[in-house]
Amino acid sequence: MLALVPGLPAQAQESADGHFALSGFGTVGVVEKTGLSNWGLIRSTAQKGAATGLSATPDSRLGAQIDWSNDRGWEAAAQGVLLHRADGALSSDAIEQAYVGYRPQANTRIRLGRISPDMFLYSESRNVGYAFTWARPPIDFYAFAPVVAVNGLDVEQRWDMGNSSWRLRATAGMIRTSSTDGGRSSHPVKVDDILAVGLTRESGGLLLKLSYLQARVGMDLGPEYAALRQGVDNFRNSPVPALREGFTPIGDRLWSGGATRYLALAAQYDSGPWTFVAEGSRLTVPGSPLGAYRAYASAAWRKDTVTYYAIASRVKPREAALAEPALASPLAPVVGPAAARQAQMLAGYATDAVNLFRFDQSTVGVGLRWDFASNAALKLQADRFNVRRNGGANWRNHGGQAAKGTLFSILVDFVWGP
């Protein structure tokens, strides 16, 4: 966060060893929600989420980056971002880039360190509000992934073919990060064996992008979750048929880790005053409620310094919500009323834990962006959201309920530096 050091010049400098550039970005914004009063917007599962109906915590952030390069093909960069993260988040989560790179040829780059995998259209700028038109990247599409950086190796190749420009990026590595559970707390996340590949083609104002990522993900959800899993496992191995049949589906979906695959396609078309953007993805997480289909589309029209836009998004789970089994009545004659009630309570808690991580929501929004300065923009946006029952993982304190409501956002995004 060298940009915060008093007296440090925020400009590019030449030295005998290369070229340094210091830059920064930030957002100051507030969002107001109507709908269920105790819900709080979660812009990303790396964050805690809003604690009140009117909040500055989801969108406000501050970042700085220092870049270095020389005429022998070497480069390096470090970027830090301060934002309102969940309690218990790792301090290293604030470092989103820290790498050393080398260009053996003009169109080839190799990087080692902490880099952003090529998962999204805005993979490297999802925290840089000035880089996109809307108030925030659509949460139905972007919020699920706390991972914005990978510790590992990244190789990029660019080439031209006819009138089109191509780029292929491959990233391999691992990350230790944290993710919220829809409340205040943050839980450690291990992502190993990451392989991400992004292929981009650009021609005549049209950009197309195909992304693929596979990894092994593990989450430590704390001792209470571990005890819940143990209780479910005990019942699903019980000699009583009703217990086995009731708890086996729950145990199969009390997920804490496993293989993950992500496939996405993005398109962006810029025709002068009009810009169209769309992304669609499929997240596959066997045995987990996290698997989902996601998509959004946006159209924007620019006149002078003002851009008017509309956006619609949807996230739909791959599997239906888990229904709580009715165990009390069939178990009472076998194990007694008290034990039957205890089994029913455990089944209820476990079912809620399974459905806690489901995303099932649609959103439509309109807004405008006013570039009132060469390095700053004011944004106003109104969104109407519709959350299905047991689909509120984008919200703090959702409790599995269904809800409809409106978000009103006002933000100022800015950048500085060369």
Side-chain angles (χ1 to χ4, degrees):
M1 305 301 291
L2 296 177
L4 305 180
V5 179
L8 190 63
Q11 57 190 16
Q13 295 187 2
E14 293 286 352
S15 74
D17 297 322
H19 175 84
F20 286 91
L22 184 63
S23 58
F25 56 88
T27 297
V28 178
V30 294
V31 57
E32 182 178 24
K33 174 192 63 66
T34 67
L36 291 181
S37 59
N38 62 326
W39 285 32
L41 175 66
I42 297 176
R43 171 168 163 160
S44 162
T45 54
Q47 298 184 234
K48 183 187 300 184
T52 58
L54 178 65
S55 178
T57 57
D59 294 308
S60 298
R61 58 204 59 221
L62 181 64
Q65 179 166 326
I66 185 168
D67 294 275
W68 170 85
S69 62
N70 66 16
D71 56 8
R72 295 185 294 276
W74 289 94
E75 60 185 51
Q79 181 189 100
V81 179
L82 297 178
L83 52 82
H84 195 65
R85 302 182 188 275
D87 296 343
L90 302 176
S91 57
S92 59
D93 288 348
I95 307 301
E96 299 203 350
Q97 291 190 51
Y99 65 82
V100 174
Y102 177 64
R103 295 181 182 269
Q105 299 177 355
N107 292 331
T108 305
R109 181 176 67 175
I110 303 170
R111 297 187 297 179
L112 181 64
R114 176 164 288 193
I115 57 256
S116 298
D118 211 10
M119 291 176 60
F120 307 110
L121 194 59
Y122 298 96
S123 288
E124 296 189 352
S125 58
R126 60 188 291 186
N127 281 314
V128 187
Y130 190 81
F132 43 82
T133 304
W134 325 290
R136 63 190 67 84
I139 58 174
D140 296 346
F141 195 87
Y142 279 80
F144 80 95
V147 179
V148 297
V150 167
N151 297 329
L153 178 68
D154 180 273
V155 180
E156 177 181 287
Q157 180 66 48
R158 295 174 180 265
W159 70 95
D160 294 326
M161 184 181 299
N163 295 324
S164 60
S165 298
W166 294 76
R167 185 191 73 178
L168 178 65
R169 272 185 58 192
T171 306
M174 50 76 69
I175 191 66
R176 297 293 180 265
T177 184
S178 54
S179 176
T180 185
D181 59 2
R184 295 177 56 88
S185 300
S186 185
H187 300 284
V189 178
K190 300 190 302 180
V191 189
D192 295 307
D193 300 335
I194 297 173
L195 174 61
V197 180
L199 178 63
T200 303
R201 178 187 183 274
E202 190 169 2
S203 177
L206 175 63
L207 182 148
L208 299 174
K209 181 174 184 177
L210 178 67
S211 302
Y212 172 79
L213 181 143
Q214 65 180 39
R216 285 190 303 106
V217 180
M219 295 182 66
D220 181 358
L221 295 172
E224 293 182 0
Y225 191 83
L228 186 64
R229 284 182 57 89
Q230 184 61 55
V232 170
D233 288 341
N234 290 340
F235 278 128
R236 71 190 299 194
N237 295 322
S238 168
V240 180
L243 285 174
R244 290 200 309 270
E245 294 170 3
F247 279 94
T248 294
I250 299 176
D252 289 343
R253 294 178 64 180
L254 268 178
W255 185 87
S256 61
T260 300
R261 287 180 173 82
Y262 176 85
L263 181 65
L265 179 64
Q268 178 177 291
Y269 181 65
D270 190 340
S271 66
W274 286 97
T275 302
F276 302 93
V277 181
E279 291 188 77
S281 71
R282 182 188 68 187
L283 178 66
T284 304
V285 189
S288 167
L290 292 171
Y293 300 99
R294 291 176 167 83
Y296 76 88
S298 173
W301 180 72
R302 181 181 178 95
K303 180 175 175 57
D304 299 327
T305 59
V306 179
T307 302
Y308 305 90
Y309 61 88
I311 184 169
S313 57
R314 177 76 167 101
V315 50
K316 181 179 180 180
R318 289 171 57 87
E319 297 182 5
L322 184 65
E324 179 181 344
L327 299 174
S329 295
L331 281 176
V334 180
V335 299
R341 286 195 297 270
Q342 292 179 351
Q344 187 67 66
M345 289 178 60
L346 179 65
Y349 288 136
T351 301
D352 289 343
V354 169
N355 293 330
L356 180 67
F357 296 97
R358 294 180 77 252
F359 295 82
D360 193 355
Q361 174 177 317
S362 59
T363 308
V364 293
V366 293
L368 66 83
R369 168 179 171 147
W370 174 34
D371 288 84
F372 63 88
S374 60
N375 64 338
L378 170 70
K379 298 176 183 177
L380 304 175
Q381 183 168 318
D383 297 291
R384 183 67 179 172
F385 61 85
N386 181 9
V387 182
R388 280 71 174 177
R389 182 170 177 80
N390 291 315
N394 272 343
W395 301 88
R396 177 177 173 181
N397 302 326
H398 60 82
Q401 302 175 66
K404 296 180 180 180
T406 305
L407 297 173
F408 297 99
S409 306
I410 178 170
L411 310 91
V412 174
D413 295 316
F414 58 89
V415 294
W416 54 266

